[in-house]
Amino acid sequence: MQTVGEAWNSVPADPDPFRRIFDCLKVTARCLQGWGSRTTGNISSQLSVARELIFRLDMAQDYRTLSPSEGWLRRRLKHAYLILASLERSIARQRFRFGWLKEGDTNSAFFKIHAAHRTTKNRILQLRVEDSVVFDEEYLSQDAYEHFCSILGSSPPPSGAQSIRLEAMDARRFYLHELDRPFTEAEIWDAVKQLPTCKAPGPDGYTSEFLRACWPIIKSDICAAFDKLFSMNGRGFHNLNEALLILLPKTADASSLTDFRPISLIHIVAKLFAKVLSLRLAPRMGEIVSANQSAFIAERCTHDNFLLVQQTARLLHNLKASRLVLKLDIAKAFDTVSWPFLMESQAHLGFGRRWREWVSILTSSSTSCVLINGSPGPPIDYARGLRQGDSLSPMLFAIVIDTLNPSCSTP
């Protein structure tokens, strides 16, 4: 905490809170790395040295009485060994990240084995691009960049869904202007406490644990950034809205980029901003999104859709009437959301101008780098789509899908 406080306060004052937070995070990360090297360094090596010294002192104690200085050294070594072992276990558990396994259910060796297995499983050694197979990591990164840039970095022509008459499809309208209220420190702190723990960091290297532990030091700058966002001024927010795009294989034999699921590791400030907005929107989602949608809505279960389809098919079979059941699978649904239609659907449902501007800042200032085997590629400037990795994107996606669903306006 002392290192964080000194590093954070060493950055000169800046009238732009976005630029100040960006500089503070960068300086603090550098100072924390130095502090970690000085205080702990190589944990495995220190554990081995401490274990060997304790063993030799225990062997000596079997033949003679230890001197006061040797007894003091033995106690200090045992104390340091317990601290280093706890730290090593915490680091291993962070790399392990099994949400269903409680603390104390297994040991550090199991954490390390599983983390190493996951790293090996997610490593991309080759990709099939059209009719050829690419092995070199430089070409892997370039092909991944071109693939996702063609999807996320290109906007479709203004046609199709953007020409839909929403008033004719859905006559609902909600009073949602309370979502535009000013941000408070208590609201931001509540969002910090509700951010998930033990998650992979974004390009800044910070997780939600840093926000919780260092909140007294950083809260004034974070609140200043939210005040600027409230004034609908997103200039410079792109520095705090970067993300790393990791590729998780959908199948064991994933060979092409379409066989991978892209997940965004988002900058901690952008993730916090999205969390605050999602907590505001969550109480109204059950009212906005119709009952025939069960995904992304609290207290609704996706399995209800399967039961509904099953019961409907059984009813049609008993009626012995000719019917057609159509199942639509939206390919790359999150990646292909049109921003103009997203804004149009929100305006149609009654979202205020300030809310729509906040969503626009989050989407338009976002950039991502595809992470291939630990190496980030060139940045991709988004032109459409929603990132999978924050708590607001699923809600916005549910609103878009519900707007396109004609049955939502029927009783």
Side-chain angles (χ1 to χ4, degrees), residues 75-280:
R75 290 191 298 272
R76 293 289 295 175
L77 286 171
K78 282 195 170 184
H79 179 69
Y81 185 86
L82 291 175
I83 294 176
L84 290 171
S86 176
L87 182 59
E88 184 187 40
R89 178 183 173 84
S90 299
I91 294 174
R93 184 173 179 83
Q94 282 185 339
R95 295 181 59 218
F96 174 70
R97 294 199 302 276
F98 258 1
W100 52 266
L101 193 62
K102 294 183 178 179
E103 184 71 27
D105 281 356
T106 187
N107 54 24
S108 299
F110 179 73
F111 294 157
K112 294 178 181 178
I113 292 172
H114 178 78
H117 169 69
R118 190 184 65 247
T119 302
T120 304
K121 182 182 68 175
N122 294 337
R123 187 172 180 83
I124 302 176
L125 300 177
Q126 64 181 32
L127 285 175
R128 179 172 295 279
V129 181
E130 295 180 352
D131 297 331
S132 60
V133 179
V134 180
F135 296 92
D136 188 83
E137 290 213 1
E138 181 179 352
Y139 292 106
L140 289 175
S141 178
Q142 183 64 27
D143 290 332
Y145 167 76
E146 293 176 356
H147 173 79
F148 286 102
C149 194
S150 63
I151 299 174
L152 303 171
S154 60
S155 179
S159 62
Q162 299 180 23
S163 62
I164 293 177
R165 295 178 56 195
L166 298 179
E167 294 79 7
M169 294 178 55
D170 184 8
R172 299 176 307 160
R173 188 163 180 88
F174 307 95
Y175 185 79
L176 302 171
H177 293 280
E178 76 275 4
L179 300 177
D180 295 350
R181 64 183 182 272
F183 300 106
T184 63
E185 180 183 332
E187 181 184 19
I188 301 172
W189 172 237
D190 183 58
V192 169
K193 292 187 292 184
Q194 295 192 46
L195 283 173
T197 59
C198 296
K199 297 296 183 180
D204 56 327
Y206 293 92
T207 63
S208 59
E209 286 85 353
F210 171 79
L211 295 179
R212 275 191 286 273
C214 305
W215 183 248
I217 300 173
I218 66 177
K219 65 179 180 180
S220 59
D221 293 308
I222 297 293
C223 291
F226 273 82
D227 290 339
K228 183 177 179 180
L229 288 168
F230 177 75
S231 64
M232 298 185 292
N233 184 357
R235 185 183 298 273
F237 190 69
H238 63 278
N239 291 326
L240 306 178
N241 200 13
E242 300 173 340
L244 295 175
L245 201 64
I246 63 171
L247 305 179
L248 300 181
K250 300 178 183 178
T251 58
D253 56 346
S255 59
S256 63
L257 287 168
T258 56
D259 298 331
F260 290 87
R261 179 180 294 107
I263 302 296
S264 297
L265 306 180
I266 305 173
H267 195 287
I268 190 62
V269 177
K271 184 181 292 186
L272 176 60
F273 183 41
K275 186 66 175 179
V276 172
L277 296 184
S278 67
L279 290 177
R280 284 191 178 186

Side-chain angles (χ1 to χ4, degrees), residues 265-304:
L265 306 180
I266 305 173
H267 195 287
I268 190 62
V269 177
K271 184 181 292 186
L272 176 60
F273 183 41
K275 186 66 175 179
V276 172
L277 296 184
S278 67
L279 290 177
R280 284 191 178 186
L281 183 58
R284 304 296 302 271
M285 284 296 290
E287 174 188 359
I288 297 172
V289 178
S290 55
N292 60 354
Q293 276 205 68
S294 57
F296 312 123
I297 309 298
E299 301 180 356
R300 295 186 187 179
C301 182
T302 308
H303 295 286
D304 293 343

Side-chain angles (χ1 to χ4, degrees), residues 15-61:
D16 185 2
F18 297 157
R19 189 164 54 237
R20 171 168 170 78
I21 291 178
F22 178 78
D23 294 337
C24 288
L25 290 175
K26 184 168 59 175
V27 172
T28 303
R30 187 165 56 247
C31 292
L32 283 175
Q33 287 176 347
W35 170 83
S37 300
R38 292 191 303 270
T39 55
T40 57
N42 193 319
I43 298 177
S44 300
S45 300
Q46 291 194 56
L47 282 171
S48 300
V49 172
R51 190 184 303 111
E52 179 66 21
L53 291 175
I54 293 173
F55 173 75
R56 294 191 180 188
L57 290 173
D58 289 343
M59 291 290 293
Q61 195 175 22

